[in-house]
Amino acid sequence: MTAELRTKKSTVSLWVTVAILCLGMMFLTFVIVEYQRNIALVEQNEVLISNSAQATLKNNILNRAPGVNWGALKGDYTWIKSTPSAYWFRDGVQEFPWRRTSGQSSITLPPTWAAVWSEINSLASAGTVNEPRLKLLIAVKSALESNNESSITRSFEEYLAHKNALQLSPYQEVAFSLKLLELGATDHWSSELMHAILITGGNSEAPLFRPIVDILFRHANLFSTNEFDAILTTVKRYLETYNLSGYFLDDYVQHLNHPQFLLTPTAESLSNASDLVFIDDWLLRQSDSTVIKAEYVALTEELKLIENELIVLGVLDNNDSLALSNTDDGVTVHTLNIAVDKAQLNRDKRYQAIYLVLKIAMLLVLVALILLSIRLLEKNQLRRLEYLALREDFVKLVSHELKTPLTGIRAMAETLRKRIERGLSVQTYPERIINEADKLWYMVDNILGFNRVQSTGVIINLRPTNLRLLCENVIDESRSFASKPYSVNNNVSERTEVKVDPELFSLVVKNIAVNAGLYNNNDTVELTLNYNQQDRSLLLSDNGIGIDSKFQFEVFKPFVRLTQSDQKSSRRSGTGLGLAICKRIMQLHDGDLSLAHSSSRGSVWKITISN
């Protein structure tokens, strides 16, 4: 009956376990899907910020990278107002800003700069220089010396008209311009006129003439290093004298001697004629089949400006940042990728990961607790079934065990009566009747003791008890339960006193003493009692048949009786309650009962007394 119920319970438990595991997997799938959805939302916010920053950056770059107007470049001198941050190439050759290919003049054309300057400086009759321009310059000199304003104005306008109508060689243009400045530098030329002759040409949008700086840098290769430096020093001196800005000159000189842009872009450098390509932070754009413009774009600075704008708008916090994730050569404006480092988004990702781990951990713990609860319920149910089965067996056992002594008592009483009626000897029948009654009493005593210690709210009456005297009295009562004599060696001191419930504690000693006689193959039952004061334990040693090690814990369970083969004895009696009762009694005393040692030569029982 129990095995059948156990099988049914196991089957039900298996199916319930499978159902719970399936439900747990469903919840786990839901938790993972929820995590992926939340991460996708966070990443979507990150992508929105990145796309917004990318669109702004692209718009800024496109607005500052107009198409190249090569014709306007030829006559526009606005380049001298800033550092050389843009480059133009024609057929792969750099044409702006102009590069110095050697330290000496690459073109040798007579006359030399020294000869031209010497001739103009002397204002003598023309030899190699342009004679009409020289005569006009001499007229300006004469007007300045006469200090006649109308003559000065007329001669100067005639000189400018000739300058605009006829462009001389770079040597002569620079030399004539420097001499013109020299003639009126002290008290006639204004800072505006000096600025026009030196830098702007009179009007940066529509120049009246070519300024000295434009000629000098545009044709740097015509001048030797010493000539170039001498002319540039003179220009800087005039600028300083008239408090004019010339900060850009050093940048252009550095560019001439050490070019910053060393690439030689060609049409193949661009993936598409209408596209913008980055190479080493330089933005390349092709305006037609021959001209390419290269402009330096500080992407990091541009991105920083966008980052500040997003912070002002509240999209980013002060500690957040933007960074370019791809800056390799060949990347276009349209393929720039911006990585967003936003603390809140990073925290959200970490929190989602933490939440996922916590949810999975909680789910695993919950499933484990449910499975453990089912296991415990199943185990308790099986124990209950086993307990009920044991009680059923116990009832049958008690009925049988009670009938045996009662039948014996009745049979011996009838025999005793008949022998008395016939006047025969009663022999040992009265003693045997008493022994059987004692056994019956011992059995009833164990049953009543078990009922008492198993009931709830049991109260034990602790009082000081002489341990030696109690053991002697209990062992004397136990002698009648064995057909063999007892040999007792009581080493407990007469002064040993313990605080126990005498009635219950006597039952413990009695069970051990009776078992020592019932399960004994020797002619004499030997008992030895010792008390260990250090750990407050009573040791009872016997010379019985012992208990096999695999059964040494089973004997303390209720209703458990070892079979004849287990005990290696011909005796098999009792209810299986004795040692279970003893164990429970000592636990009620806050002590314990254990089997310290057992072999075929006997057992040693240890009774620990806490009081």
Side-chain angles (χ1 to χ4, degrees):
M1 185 71 171
T2 303
E4 183 180 353
L5 289 174
R6 181 179 298 181
T7 302
K8 291 182 179 179
K9 289 289 182 182
S10 299
T11 303
V12 173
S13 175
L14 177 61
W15 282 109
V16 172
T17 301
V18 172
I20 292 175
L21 290 176
C22 292
L23 188 61
M25 290 300 296
M26 291 176 58
F27 277 106
L28 179 61
T29 303
F30 171 76
V31 167
I32 294 176
V33 170
E34 182 187 28
Y35 166 76
Q36 293 175 341
R37 182 179 62 84
N38 293 337
I39 289 295
L41 291 176
V42 175
E43 291 177 347
Q44 184 178 1
N45 292 334
E46 187 174 355
V47 169
L48 289 175
I49 298 175
S50 176
N51 290 343
S52 176
Q54 183 176 346
T56 304
L57 178 62
K58 182 172 69 173
N59 184 64
N60 293 346
I61 293 174
L62 293 177
N63 287 339
R64 60 174 292 179
V68 177
N69 187 344
W70 185 255
L73 175 64
K74 288 291 187 179
D76 185 2
Y77 305 133
T78 57
W79 60 267
I80 59 181
K81 294 182 179 181
S82 61
T83 58
S85 60
Y87 294 77
W88 279 268
F89 296 83
R90 181 184 294 276
D91 295 326
V93 178
Q94 179 176 324
E95 295 197 14
F96 178 82
W98 305 275
R99 294 178 58 182
R100 191 183 190 92
T101 57
S102 65
Q104 297 294 327
S105 174
S106 60
I107 303 176
T108 304
L109 293 175
T112 64
W113 158 257
V116 171
W117 173 249
S118 176
E119 187 173 345
I120 296 176
N121 191 41
S122 65
L123 297 178
S125 58
T128 59
V129 299
N130 184 269
E131 184 175 359
R133 178 78 61 87
L134 182 59
K135 291 181 179 180
L136 291 173
L137 183 61
I138 294 173
V140 171
K141 177 179 180 298
S142 299
L144 291 172
E145 290 175 350
S146 65
N147 201 19
N148 188 311
E149 292 295 333
S150 59
S151 297
I152 294 173
T153 301
R154 185 179 62 258
S155 62
F156 188 77
E157 288 178 350
E158 290 176 354
Y159 180 86
L160 288 182
H162 188 276
K163 183 178 179 64
N164 291 334
L166 179 63
Q167 182 174 330
L168 305 180
S169 69
Y171 281 140
Q172 296 189 55
E173 286 290 351
V174 172
F176 275 114
S177 296
L178 287 178
K179 190 59 180 179
L180 178 66
L181 293 177
E182 180 183 315
L183 293 176
T186 56
D187 53 7
H188 288 89
W189 304 145
S190 65
S191 59
E192 291 79 8
L193 179 60
M194 298 291 288
H195 195 248
I197 295 175
L198 290 172
I199 297 177
T200 64
N203 189 328
S204 60
E205 296 181 358
L208 300 176
F209 50 82
R210 294 184 64 192
I212 294 175
V213 170
D214 181 70
I215 299 172
L216 181 64
F217 280 94
R218 200 181 284 267
H219 302 284
N221 288 334
L222 296 179
F223 299 91
S224 69
T225 302
N226 294 334
E227 292 170 347
F228 184 90
D229 291 342
I231 297 172
L232 188 62
T233 299
T234 303
V235 171
K236 287 183 178 179
R237 185 179 73 250
Y238 282 133
L239 291 174
E240 292 176 0
T241 301
Y242 286 86
N243 197 24
L244 299 174
S245 175
Y247 66 90
F248 59 90
L249 295 177
D250 291 335
D251 292 328
Y252 273 87
V253 171
Q254 183 180 7
H255 167 75
L256 289 175
N257 297 325
H258 304 285
Q260 298 177 23
F261 194 77
L262 302 179
L263 297 177
T264 305
T266 61
E268 287 75 20
S269 302
L270 299 172
S271 59
N272 190 300
S274 61
D275 209 345
L276 295 168
V277 177
F278 281 99
I279 298 180
D280 290 339
D281 288 336
W282 290 86
L283 184 64
L284 275 63
R285 181 169 183 173
Q286 184 169 353
S287 61
D288 54 44
S289 60
T290 60
V291 179
I292 294 177
K293 177 184 179 182
E295 181 178 3
Y296 180 77
V297 178
L299 292 176
T300 303
E301 296 177 5
E302 291 285 344
L303 205 58
K304 188 64 178 179
L305 295 176
I306 297 174
E307 179 182 306
N308 293 335
E309 292 178 3
L310 293 178
I311 291 176
V312 172
L313 295 174
V315 177
L316 297 178
D317 296 330
N318 292 328
N319 296 327
D320 300 337
S321 62
L322 301 175
L324 290 170
S325 59
N326 62 329
T327 56
D328 299 332
D329 290 348
V331 64
T332 68
V333 173
H334 303 284
T335 58
L336 283 173
N337 292 327
I338 298 178
V340 180
D341 185 11
K342 183 173 173 61
Q344 182 61 46
L345 296 179
N346 295 334
R347 282 196 298 270
D348 290 343
K349 289 181 180 179
R350 289 196 300 269
Y351 290 159
Q352 291 300 326
I354 293 173
Y355 293 155
L356 175 64
V357 173
L358 291 177
K359 289 176 182 178
I360 292 177
M362 292 175 62
L363 180 61
L364 293 176
V365 170
L366 181 61
V367 171
L369 288 176
I370 293 176
L371 294 177
L372 180 61
S373 299
I374 293 174
R375 178 62 180 168
L376 291 176
L377 289 173
E378 178 188 11
K379 190 174 181 179
N380 290 335
Q381 186 67 13
L382 290 176
R383 284 181 178 178
R384 182 173 176 274
L385 293 175
E386 291 176 354
Y387 184 79
L388 292 175
L390 288 174
R391 291 197 63 170
E392 182 179 349
D393 295 339
F394 172 72
V395 171
K396 296 177 182 179
L397 174 66
V398 170
S399 299
H400 174 74
E401 292 293 335
L402 290 177
K403 287 180 180 179
T404 300
L406 287 174
T407 301
I409 291 172
R410 178 180 178 83
M412 286 184 286
E414 290 179 352
T415 302
L416 179 62
R417 184 186 66 180
K418 291 178 180 179
R419 293 185 73 86
I420 293 175
E421 289 176 353
R422 297 176 183 175
L424 300 176
S425 173
V426 296
Q427 298 178 356
T428 59
Y429 288 106
E431 183 179 354
R432 291 170 61 186
I433 291 174
I434 293 173
N435 288 339
E436 292 296 327
D438 287 341
K439 292 179 182 179
L440 184 60
W441 176 255
Y442 171 69
M443 190 178 303
V444 173
D445 196 21
N446 272 343
I447 296 173
L448 294 176
F450 178 76
N451 183 66
R452 176 183 173 187
V453 298
Q454 289 297 112
S455 62
T456 57
V458 60
I459 298 175
I460 58 175
N461 300 316
L462 299 177
R463 58 178 183 268
T465 305
N466 187 291
L467 183 59
R468 179 183 178 89
L469 183 59
L470 181 145
C471 291
E472 288 179 350
N473 294 334
V474 171
I475 293 174
D476 286 342
E477 293 177 4
S478 304
R479 296 176 185 272
S480 60
F481 293 95
S483 59
K484 302 174 183 180
Y486 273 70
S487 174
V488 181
N489 184 14
N490 193 346
N491 297 323
V492 180
S493 173
E494 295 179 355
R495 295 188 299 273
T496 301
E497 191 174 79
V498 293
K499 197 172 183 180
V500 296
D501 185 320
E503 181 180 351
L504 292 177
F505 192 80
S506 297
L507 189 59
V508 175
V509 178
K510 185 177 182 180
N511 269 280
I512 295 175
V514 170
N515 288 342
L518 293 177
Y519 302 99
N520 199 308
N521 293 331
N522 298 304
D523 296 333
T524 301
V525 179
E526 296 179 0
L527 280 177
T528 302
L529 288 78
N530 293 285
Y531 182 72
N532 189 333
Q533 184 66 38
Q534 186 175 0
D535 61 357
R536 302 181 67 83
S537 62
L538 176 64
L539 298 176
L540 286 84
S541 303
D542 62 47
N543 62 339
I545 62 175
I547 300 175
D548 194 286
S549 59
K550 62 182 179 180
F551 300 114
Q552 289 182 6
F553 294 99
E554 298 292 326
V555 294
F556 293 106
K557 294 181 179 180
F559 315 125
V560 173
R561 295 195 313 160
L562 302 183
T563 63
Q564 183 175 356
S565 59
D566 296 331
Q567 285 300 99
K568 302 176 183 178
S569 171
S570 59
R571 301 298 304 272
R572 184 177 183 273
S573 60
T575 60
L577 292 175
L579 291 177
I581 296 172
C582 296
K583 183 82 170 180
R584 177 61 178 162
I585 289 173
M586 294 316 302
Q587 289 174 348
L588 292 174
H589 281 77
D590 293 330
D592 192 21
L593 170 63
S594 61
L595 187 57
H597 173 73
S598 184
S599 66
S600 60
R601 292 182 293 179
S603 302
V604 178
W605 302 87
K606 182 178 181 180
I607 304 174
T608 304
I609 307 169
S610 62
N611 298 305

